[in-house]
């Protein structure tokens, strides 16, 4: 049996629903304001939006919804593009207005990872146009070595492309960094993307993803946890012994579980 290393080289993190609660009071509201601005009758309530979230990428989500409403091509494509442009601009103002919040425990964890010299990367299917502003506003003191957004991939999550590209840009080709890299996600689609790229994955569920299929996750929590407010550990398949606070040691143990 090869010697088990416990060195954590890099952590690749999702943004929407993972680093920040962007969907319910951010993107959803921005989509609805875009509908309103174009005098369209559509509105997405919180439950409907939860279902729509299974389609990743805002423009794809719009196009699928418009198809269900009977809007045909080429109007569907034009309208999805126009709505998405408007929604992105509105989302940026919501971020600037402080509507979107970082999830509790994220700043602590990223600070600890930075202090430990662990590389940080982002792999999101969201658009670069708002992602960079959000990271700067909520996590301005954190250095991300690599940021892969939905604009740079052909296939969005659950396809592994975003994670494969992040690993490449970290200088870790396919199979590189085995046992030393871990992904952090919030959803079933994100988990499939990370696992498809060969990464062990921690899933930190949120209100929209508690019922997602996350059987392939090495560790599942309902929050990042703080020492005085630990999260609930929902599954610990990598036997990390996590006590409800996601930290460098726990992530190193999850990464090492990817060696097997
Ligand atoms: C996030 C998404 C994104 C956001 C909206 O998925 O699917 O589409 O909902 O952002 P994940 P855009 O967290 O799995 O990356 O409108 O910019 O696509
Ligand atoms: Mg997500």
């Amino acid at each position: 049996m090869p010697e088990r290393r416990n060195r954590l080289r890099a952590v690749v993190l999702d943004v929407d629903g993972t680093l920040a609660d962007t969907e319910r009071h951010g993107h959803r509201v921005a989509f609805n304001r875009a509908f309103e601005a174009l005098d369209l009758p559509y509105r997405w309530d919180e439950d409907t939006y939860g279902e729509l979230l299974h389609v990743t990428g805002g423009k794809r989500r719009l196009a699928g919804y418009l198809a269900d409403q009977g809007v045909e091509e080429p109007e569907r494509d034009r309208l999805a593009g126009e709505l998405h442009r408007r929604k992105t601009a509105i989302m940026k103002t919501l971020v600037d207005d402080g509507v979107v919040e970082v999830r509790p425990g994220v700043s602590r964890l990223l600070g600890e990872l930075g202090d430990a010299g662990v590389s940080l990367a982002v792999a999101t299917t969201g658009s670069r146009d708002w992602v960079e502003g959000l990271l700067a506003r909520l996590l301005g003191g954190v250095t991300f070595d690599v940021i892969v957004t939905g604009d740079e991939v052909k296939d969005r999550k659950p396809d592994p492309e975003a994670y494969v590209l992040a690993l490449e840009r970290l200088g870790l080709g396919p199979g590189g960094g085995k046992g030393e890299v871990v992904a952090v996600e919030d959803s079933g689609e994100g988990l499939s993307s990370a696992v498809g790229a060969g990464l062990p994955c921690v899933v930190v569920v949120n209100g929209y993803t508690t019922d997602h299929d996350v059987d392939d996750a090495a560790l599942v929590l309902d929050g990042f946890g703080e020492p005085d407010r630990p999260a609930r550990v929902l599954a610990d398949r990598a036997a990390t012994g996590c006590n409800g606070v996601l930290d460098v040691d726990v992530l190193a143990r999850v990464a090492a579980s990817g060696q097997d």
Side-chain angles (χ1 to χ4, degrees), residues 14 16-18 185-187:
D14 170 52
D16 287 296
T18 301
E185 273 286 350
D186 70 306
S187 70

Side-chain angles (χ1 to χ4, degrees), residues 14-20 22-23 53 56 123-125 157 163 184-191 206 209:
D14 170 52
V15 176
D16 287 296
T18 301
L19 293 181
T22 52
E23 299 289 5
L53 274 176
T56 58
T124 173
T125 59
K157 298 174 190 175
Y163 277 96
V184 184
E185 273 286 350
D186 70 306
S187 70
E189 288 76 19
L191 169 66
N206 59 50
T209 63

Side-chain angles (χ1 to χ4, degrees), residues 152-215:
E152 291 135 84
V153 294
K154 190 164 53 63
D155 295 313
R156 298 189 176 209
K157 298 174 190 175
D159 189 279
E161 191 179 348
Y163 277 96
V164 169
L165 193 54
L167 289 174
E168 255 172 50
R169 291 193 185 165
L170 282 166
L172 308 164
K178 205 144 189 73
E180 299 177 329
V181 186
V182 57
V184 184
E185 273 286 350
D186 70 306
S187 70
E189 288 76 19
L191 169 66
S192 299
S193 175
V195 169
L199 288 178
C201 185
V202 177
V203 173
V204 186
V205 294
N206 59 50
Y208 269 138
T209 63
T210 42
D211 63 348
H212 282 203
D213 176 357
V214 292
D215 286 354

